[in-house]
Amino acid sequence: MAKEIKLTEGEQEILHVLWQSGPSSVRDIHEIIGAPKQKSYTTTLKIMQIMYEKGLLTRNESSKTHIYKAAISEKSSKQQAVGKIIKNLFKGSAAQLVMHALGNHRPSKEELDEIKTYLSQLDESADKKK
Amino acid sequence: MAKEIKLTEGEQEILHVLWQSGPSSVRDIHEIIGAPKQKSYTTTLKIMQIMYEKGLLTRNESSKTHIYKAAISEKSSKQQAVGKIIKNLFKGSAAQLVMHALGNHRPSKEELDEIKTYLSQLDESADKKK
DNA sequence: TTCGTTCTACGAAATTATTCGTACTTAAAA
DNA sequence: TTTTAAGTACGAATAATTTCGTAGAACGAA
């Protein structure tokens, strides 16, 4: 199992932006999440520096403006986040989460079809297993 | 939209237990989450008292040992938690979360059937809407 | 009634996270 | 070359959270 990483609120926000936008400068990130909240630039900088020290981010220092990248994958974070929710809020049942998600966030017809297709694929591969 | 409630790590743990077990004493909760982590009893007590002051818990003081209940519903917390994940990690697509959950937590045949049934119901009711 | 156990209340220390000011560096523009 | 704009580093204040010790109340058993 992947190591359990504990992220603070601020760290999560920064990772989300980096995953969406790709490698970014502190300024880039700050415009998106710090500035709108009236936080000073050095606040964003500090958090990113700490994340760098912790190994949550890597950075390219070749130019004056450092460019940061997420050092942990969105994929593993998704898995951890979803797994945690299933465990804590849905008594371990992925199916319950699925139905909850479908019930509350009304996917479009297209999305529903997408899911059905996916489900039938799952069925088939389940047969072939082991 | 329901008010955005921010819970600390410790608060979440306690709510999870209360939702699972129903009304409980501090001792009950402590045995489940404090004791295994070698925390002292008063630590659990203190957090629950603070939660009570914040209105996150209610309590019955009729006996010496107070009995606490969660004051916020598991349902709304689920909605908030799932909504947040969909927004932050799945670009707003519930379908993506669903497929991720199905892909990583291999539900049993029974669960799959359950989901399919649920899906077809959704389809029908979608037709009737507005 | 007295003792021992179990509880709550509360204050304060310790820890963790966020926030920001200041100093110094770099590089480009004037 | 001087000035100005934009960056980084870093220390320290503040805020939020967790942790625990101590005091005193409640209550049952001896």
Side-chain angles (χ1 to χ4, degrees), chain B residues 115-129:
Chain B
I115 293 169
K116 284 181 191 164
T117 306
Y118 188 80
L119 272 177
S120 42
Q121 283 174 356
L122 259 191
D123 257 5
E124 287 166 30
S125 60
D127 290 342
K128 289 180 195 152
K129 279 194 68 123

Side-chain angles (χ1 to χ4, degrees), chain B residues 6 8-10 39-40 42-43 46-47 50 64:
Chain B
K6 186 137 171 304
T8 69
E9 197 66 19
K39 297 299 163 61
S40 94
T42 52
T43 297
K46 181 66 161 191
I47 293 182
I50 291 173
K64 183 184 130 190

Side-chain angles (χ1 to χ4, degrees), chain A residues 8-129:
Chain A
T8 70
E9 196 65 21
E11 290 171 344
Q12 288 186 33
E13 281 185 308
I14 287 169
L15 283 172
H16 291 153
V17 175
L18 283 171
W19 286 328
Q20 293 269 313
S21 312
S24 308
S25 66
V26 173
R27 178 68 56 189
D28 294 332
I29 304 291
H30 181 251
E31 292 308 318
I32 296 175
I33 56 186
K37 286 192 285 188
Q38 319 264 88
K39 297 298 164 59
S40 93
Y41 173 80
T42 52
T43 297
T44 305
L45 170 67
K46 181 66 161 191
I47 293 182
M48 290 180 73
Q49 285 174 338
I50 291 173
M51 290 175 79
Y52 170 71
E53 283 161 21
K54 286 187 188 174
L56 295 172
L57 305 181
T58 60
R59 69 183 184 190
N60 180 326
E61 307 181 352
S62 64
S63 61
K64 183 185 125 188
T65 302
H66 300 174
I67 300 299
Y68 289 80
K69 284 202 274 190
I72 63 183
S73 76
E74 181 172 20
K75 181 156 171 294
S76 66
S77 300
K78 275 180 182 172
Q79 279 178 10
Q80 189 176 307
V82 174
K84 193 171 168 191
I85 279 203
I86 289 176
K87 176 165 162 289
N88 290 327
L89 291 176
F90 296 93
K91 310 190 200 313
S93 158
Q96 269 192 46
L97 165 62
V98 167
M99 290 186 286
H100 177 94
L102 293 175
N104 282 283
H105 300 270
R106 298 221 151 261
S108 64
K109 188 86 179 55
E110 290 67 36
E111 284 182 305
L112 281 181
D113 287 343
E114 204 183 344
I115 294 168
K116 284 182 190 166
T117 306
Y118 188 80
L119 272 178
S120 44
Q121 284 174 356
L122 260 191
D123 257 3
E124 287 166 31
S125 60
D127 290 342
K128 290 179 196 155
K129 277 193 70 123

